[in-house]
Amino acid sequence: MARNREGLVLLLDVGPSMHKVLPEVQKICSMLIQKKLIYRKFDEVGIVIFGAEDTDNELTIEVGGYEHVVVLRNIKVVDGDIVEALQELPRGTVAGDYLDAVVGMDMLIKKYQLTNKGKKRICLITDAQNPIKDPYKGTKDDQVSTIAVQMAAHGVRMETIIVRGRLGEDIDQRIVDENDHLLHLFSEKTSAKTVYVESPTSLLGALRTRDISPVTIFRGDLEISPKLKIKVWVYKKTSEEKFPTLKKYSDKAPPTDKYATHEVKVDYEYKSVEDPSKVIPPNQRIKGYRYGPQVVPISSVEWDAFKFKPEKSVKLLGFTNASNILRHYYMKDVNIFIAEPGNARAAIAVSALARAMKELNKVAIVRCVWRQGQGSVVLGVLTPNLSEKDKTPDSFCFNVLPFAEDVREFQFPSFSNFPASWQPSEQEQQAADNLVMMLDLAPPGKEEALLPEFTPNPILERFYHHLELKSKQPDAAVPPLDRTLKKITEPDPQLFSESKSVIEALCKSFEVKENPKLKKSTRRLLQEKPSGSDDEGGYGDTSNALAIKSDESQLLAKADKIGDLTPVQDFEAMMSRRDNPDWVAKAIKDMENKICNMVENCKGGDNYCKALECLVALRKGCILEQEPKQFNDFLHHLFRLCQEKKLGNFWEFLASKELTLISTSEAIDSEVTEDEAKNFLVKKLPKLE
C-alpha cells in the first residue's frame, strides 16, 4: 500500500441492542465507501461484525475464542460490492463484545506488516452497553493496554463512535461505566478518538467519511517586531465541503477500445476578423479590455508591471480587546497557527504569547501574505487557543476580517419610534418570546440539537447516494430525501407537539393567516408590458417571464430611479437600499414628482388608481422612515395643485378612499393631530363647469 493510501477496517456491532440504529450505520458506512470511490478509489476497506449468530474469522481457527465475530469482507480495494454488503448487514442475536473485534487489528497487521508506510485505521461503531468477557490472563485493563501497545507499534489509529441515547432502566450503569473506562484507555495509550452520539442524525455526521491530509498554507515568521520573530506553520482548520468536480464524458469512443479515457478536450482557435480562414498564433495575440466603445490592448508584460506584488510575510499590527472583534466579522474559513514542529523555542514563544493574550482578554490583528507574488493582502485576527492536553501545544485560531469596503451597514428604524397602536402588548411580546425560546437548538439543561460537527450536509449526502444509484442504473431517478436527513431540513414534529401550547398562545395573540403564493413572473410581465405591444392578447414570451422572475430581486436591488412601468416597486426598492443614506430622500422626492406628473396628466379611470397606489406607497414609506412632515407637506402641495389645475374630481376620489395626513397616532414625530387629519379630507375643490 502506498504512503498516501489508507487501509480501513470497519468494526460494526450488530447485536440486539444495536438493531434500532443499524439502518443509520448502514447509511453512514455506505456513504464512506461511496466517497472513497470518488476521492480515494485505491484505498482498501475490510468489514468485521461482532454480536453475530455465526463465527467466521482466522483467530478462532488459530488460537480459539473470538466467538460471534464474522469477517464479512476481507481487506481489498473499494468497489461497489462493499457498498452492497454494507446495505444488507445481518442482525445478530448475541450481545457484542468489542474487544473480541480485535480481529480487525490482526487483519491490518497481517495485511501490511511493519514496513508498510500507508495509513491504517480502525473504525468501531457500538453502543458499549454490553459486558466484556474476562480475559484468560490478567485484567481487562491489561488486555486493553496490550492491544493499544500493538496498535501503536504498527501505526494503527482507532476511531470509536458510541451510539447511546437515554439509558433504559434495564441497562446496568456499572457495565456502561466500565466500557467507557476501557475505551478511554485506548485514547491514553494510542492514537484513538472516541465520540458519543445520541441520535441517528448525529450518527450520520460522526464518522469522517472523507479524509483530507492537512497542507500548510504558510511557513515562515510571525513578525511581532523587526527584532522579534517566531517560526510558525499555518494550516487550514476548517473548510467548506463542496461538490466533486464533474467532467464531461464522451461516448464517441469505439466500444471495443479498452483503453479509451472518454475525456472531452476543448481547444480554442483565434481567427482574424479580416480573414476568417486565418488562424492567429499565440505569439501574435494580445488581450484587449473594453473601455467604452473602444478596446484597449494590454500586453502581459504591461499587466505584470501594474500588479501589486507584496512580500510573503505575517506581521503583527497590534492588539485589541476581544470584545471589539464581533463574531459576525469573521469571513471565509478558519486557519490554525502552530509553532514550527521540532522548534522548542518557537513552541515556548507561541505558548507564552497565547496565554498572556488569554489572561488579558486580548486578540491580535495581523497582516498576512501567504505566498510570494500573491496579489491580495489578508487582514485577520489571531485568537489564543490554549490546549488542555500536555502533549498538545498551544496555538492560535486565525479568522479573516473584512476591510471597510466589505462592511455593509444596514440601518433599521427602532420599534420604539413607532406609534403606540403599532407597539405589541405585554401578552403579545411574551407570546413571541416564548416562540423564540421554543425554537432554541441549545436549550438549558439539554444537549444541543444539530451540532455542526455531527450534522452532515443533506444536499451532498443525497448527491452521493444518487451517484451510487446512477453507477448501477444510468436511468435512475433522483431518490427522495432520506428520512433521517429530513430531520435536518424539516421542522421537528416532536418539538412542535411538545410545544403546542406555545404555538396556540401565539395564534391567539396575533392574527395568523396563510400567505398565498403568487406567480410573480407572469403578473409582472403583464404589468410591465407596453401598451403598444404587438402581442397584447397573450402572455408573451415565457422565457422573458422566467428571466424577470429569476432576476427580480437583482433588478429591484439596483433600482436607482422611479420608472413609468412599476413606480411602486421601484420606490420600495430605492427605499430599501442601505448603501447610501441619500437613497431615502431621493426616493421620496422622485415619487412626489411622479405623482405630480400623473395628477397633471390625469384623465380619470386607471390614472386615478395608479396615482392613488403611488400616494399610498409614499405614505407608508414616510411612516416607516419617520418622515411624516415630508408627506404632510406634499399632500398640502397636492391640494393646491388640484386647485390650480381644477382637478376637483381627483381630490374627491382621494377623499372617498380616506387617504389623509399622517397623524401623531401613526408617527410620533408628526405635528398633525387625529382631528386635523380627519378634517383635512373635508376640504372641497370647486367643480369644473
Side-chain angles (χ1 to χ4, degrees):
M1 186 175 64
R3 183 184 296 271
N4 61 342
R5 298 179 188 175
E6 181 183 59
L8 170 67
V9 175
L10 297 172
L11 308 182
L12 308 179
D13 187 352
V14 296
S17 61
M18 286 287 290
H19 286 182
K20 291 183 180 180
V21 295
L22 276 183
E24 277 67 37
V25 173
Q26 293 175 171
K27 292 172 190 173
I28 185 176
C29 293
S30 299
M31 185 62 59
L32 169 66
I33 305 303
Q34 289 165 14
K35 288 188 178 181
K36 282 186 176 293
L37 286 170
I38 297 174
Y39 296 107
R40 304 180 68 91
K41 58 185 178 181
F42 298 110
D43 283 1
E44 299 176 346
V45 177
I47 306 173
V48 176
I49 60 174
F50 58 97
E53 184 177 1
D54 302 325
T55 301
D56 184 9
N57 64 82
E58 292 183 0
L59 284 181
T60 300
I61 301 172
E62 294 175 359
V63 299
Y66 301 100
E67 298 175 350
H68 307 294
V69 178
V70 176
V71 178
L72 203 62
R73 284 289 184 276
N74 283 311
I75 300 175
K76 65 175 184 177
V77 176
V78 290
D79 56 19
D81 294 339
I82 298 180
V83 177
E84 293 180 1
L86 286 168
Q87 292 175 349
E88 298 177 359
L89 289 176
R91 269 49 177 174
T93 58
V94 182
D97 185 340
Y98 59 84
L99 286 185
D100 275 353
V102 73
V103 173
M105 186 192 73
D106 183 67
M107 289 170 59
L108 284 172
I109 294 174
K110 289 180 178 178
K111 175 79 174 178
Y112 302 120
Q113 304 301 325
L114 282 170
T115 58
N116 196 283
K117 298 300 182 181
K119 300 174 183 176
K120 297 178 280 290
R121 179 162 65 109
I122 290 177
C123 179
L124 169 65
I125 302 180
T126 180
D127 56 6
Q129 295 181 3
N130 301 307
I132 302 299
K133 295 190 293 290
D134 291 324
Y136 295 112
K137 294 181 180 180
T139 63
K140 296 177 184 178
D141 287 16
D142 296 336
Q143 186 181 14
V144 169
S145 299
T146 302
I147 296 173
V149 169
Q150 289 294 318
M151 290 175 61
H154 291 83
V156 179
R157 294 179 295 116
M158 182 175 177
E159 184 177 352
T160 305
I161 299 175
I162 300 177
V163 186
R164 186 181 295 164
R166 296 179 180 176
L167 297 177
E169 296 179 357
D170 56 336
I171 302 299
D172 191 337
Q173 185 64 45
R174 181 183 58 81
I175 295 175
V176 172
D177 294 340
E178 182 185 42
N179 287 331
D180 289 348
H181 166 69
L182 294 176
L183 290 171
H184 181 68
L185 287 179
F186 279 108
S187 302
E188 290 183 346
K189 297 181 179 296
T190 186
S191 178
K193 176 184 178 183
T194 303
V195 175
Y196 292 84
V197 297
E198 293 189 359
S199 65
T201 306
S202 299
L203 176 59
L204 284 181
L207 179 62
R208 188 178 72 252
T209 56
R210 186 180 172 196
D211 191 11
I212 301 177
S213 300
V215 179
T216 56
I217 62 174
F218 176 84
R219 296 187 185 188
D221 296 329
L222 169 58
E223 187 175 330
I224 308 297
S225 70
K227 295 183 179 180
L228 177 58
K229 300 178 181 179
I230 305 173
K231 293 288 184 182
V232 295
W233 286 14
V234 183
Y235 290 91
K236 271 198 172 185
K237 191 174 189 295
T238 62
S239 60
E240 178 186 359
E241 186 176 7
K242 299 180 180 179
F243 282 95
T245 303
L246 303 181
K247 299 179 180 179
K248 294 181 179 179
Y249 177 88
S250 173
D251 58 357
K252 301 299 182 182
T256 57
D257 188 358
K258 297 181 180 180
Y259 302 99
T261 60
H262 298 280
E263 293 183 0
V264 178
K265 295 183 178 180
V266 181
D267 293 327
Y268 293 93
E269 285 187 347
Y270 295 85
K271 297 185 178 182
S272 172
V273 177
E274 290 80 8
D275 185 4
S277 61
K278 181 181 178 182
V279 179
I280 308 299
N283 58 352
Q284 296 181 15
R285 297 198 299 259
I286 187 172
K287 284 187 177 182
Y289 298 87
R290 288 195 174 275
Y291 184 75
Q294 299 177 341
V295 177
V296 181
I298 301 179
S299 66
S300 57
V301 177
E302 294 171 329
W303 186 253
D304 290 339
F306 283 102
K307 276 187 177 178
F308 176 57
K309 299 177 181 178
E311 293 290 329
K312 173 185 174 182
S313 63
V314 174
K315 296 183 178 181
L316 174 71
L317 300 182
F319 298 96
T320 184
N321 291 329
S323 58
N324 293 334
I325 307 298
L326 304 180
R327 176 63 183 83
H328 63 269
Y329 288 169
Y330 296 168
M331 302 172 66
K332 300 183 180 180
D333 302 323
V334 182
N335 297 336
I336 189 83
F337 275 61
I338 65 171
E340 183 182 50
N343 190 333
R345 297 178 63 186
I348 294 173
V350 169
S351 179
L353 182 61
R355 292 180 180 275
M357 289 168 58
K358 186 70 175 179
E359 183 178 350
L360 298 175
N361 196 27
K362 300 286 185 179
V363 293
I365 308 299
V366 292
R367 174 188 182 272
C368 304
V369 180
W370 303 124
R371 59 185 180 274
Q372 191 68 29
Q374 177 179 318
S376 59
V377 176
V378 178
L379 189 71
V381 56
L382 287 181
T383 306
N385 179 34
L386 305 186
S387 173
E388 297 178 354
K389 298 180 179 180
D390 295 336
K391 297 181 180 179
T392 305
D394 298 331
S395 57
F396 291 102
C397 289
F398 174 84
N399 286 278
V400 178
L401 293 179
F403 289 98
E405 55 267 25
D406 297 325
V407 179
R408 299 290 182 269
E409 294 291 346
F410 295 101
Q411 300 175 2
F412 300 98
S414 173
F415 285 113
S416 60
N417 293 332
F418 287 137
S421 59
W422 290 17
Q423 298 290 339
S425 63
E426 291 186 7
Q427 179 183 356
E428 292 172 340
Q429 185 66 52
Q430 186 63 39
D433 291 343
N434 291 339
L435 179 69
V436 173
M437 296 302 296
M438 181 197 81
L439 299 175
D440 188 2
L441 291 177
K446 294 184 179 180
E447 183 185 3
E448 181 180 353
L450 301 180
L451 284 165
E453 57 268 31
F454 293 150
T455 304
N457 187 330
I459 299 177
L460 285 172
E461 302 294 310
R462 192 180 188 187
F463 169 78
Y464 289 119
H465 181 40
H466 184 212
L467 207 60
E468 193 264 335
L469 290 178
K470 293 279 282 186
S471 66
K472 300 175 182 177
Q473 304 174 12
D475 298 331
V478 179
L481 192 64
D482 184 78
R483 176 175 54 85
T484 307
L485 295 177
K486 279 186 177 181
K487 295 181 180 180
I488 302 174
T489 60
E490 297 180 357
D492 185 358
Q494 182 179 356
L495 173 66
F496 278 80
S497 62
E498 293 175 353
S499 307
K500 189 175 180 181
S501 59
V502 176
I503 299 174
E504 290 177 351
L506 182 77
C507 295
K508 291 179 182 178
S509 302
F510 298 93
E511 180 184 358
V512 181
K513 58 183 180 181
E514 184 178 357
N515 187 17
K517 294 182 179 180
L518 302 176
K519 297 181 179 179
K520 295 183 179 180
S521 57
T522 305
R523 187 181 73 253
R524 184 174 292 279
L525 181 65
L526 292 174
Q527 288 179 350
E528 297 186 356
K529 193 174 187 63
S531 59
S533 173
D534 296 334
D535 185 18
E536 294 183 352
Y539 287 95
D541 185 1
T542 56
S543 64
N544 291 336
L546 292 174
I548 291 173
K549 182 177 180 179
S550 61
D551 295 335
E552 181 178 279
S553 59
Q554 295 182 10
L555 291 173
L556 290 178
K558 295 179 180 178
D560 55 2
K561 65 179 181 179
I562 297 177
D564 297 328
L565 299 178
T566 56
V568 174
Q569 289 83 350
D570 295 340
F571 171 73
E572 292 175 348
M574 291 176 66
M575 293 286 283
S576 64
R577 291 186 65 168
R578 291 294 183 267
D579 51 341
N580 192 315
D582 298 334
W583 281 115
V584 173
K586 184 179 184 331
I588 294 175
K589 188 64 178 177
D590 288 357
M591 182 57 93
E592 290 176 354
N593 295 336
K594 181 64 67 178
I595 293 172
C596 290
N597 188 37
M598 288 182 183
V599 171
E600 290 178 358
N601 300 300
C602 201
K603 298 179 181 178
D606 293 339
N607 287 339
Y608 279 5
C609 295
K610 197 167 186 178
L612 177 64
E613 289 179 4
C614 294
L615 203 56
V616 170
L618 177 62
R619 190 176 192 275
K620 180 181 177 181
C622 288
I623 293 175
L624 292 175
E625 295 297 335
Q626 305 172 37
E627 297 287 352
K629 186 176 185 304
Q630 196 157 347
F631 176 81
N632 293 341
D633 292 345
F634 173 70
L635 203 58
H636 283 289
H637 170 73
L638 190 61
F639 177 75
R640 293 191 295 270
L641 181 65
C642 291
Q643 283 182 320
E644 296 173 3
K645 302 294 182 180
K646 299 181 180 180
L647 297 172
N649 291 336
F650 175 72
W651 191 258
E652 289 182 359
F653 174 74
L654 291 183
S656 67
K657 301 299 181 182
E658 298 184 353
L659 190 144
T660 184
L661 302 172
I662 299 175
S663 64
T664 52
S665 62
E666 297 174 285
I668 298 177
D669 296 338
S670 177
E671 299 175 354
V672 179
T673 62
E674 290 188 38
D675 293 336
E676 290 174 343
K678 292 179 181 178
N679 294 333
F680 183 75
L681 290 174
V682 183
K683 292 186 178 182
K684 298 287 185 179
L685 291 179
K687 292 187 177 182
L688 294 173
E689 296 181 358

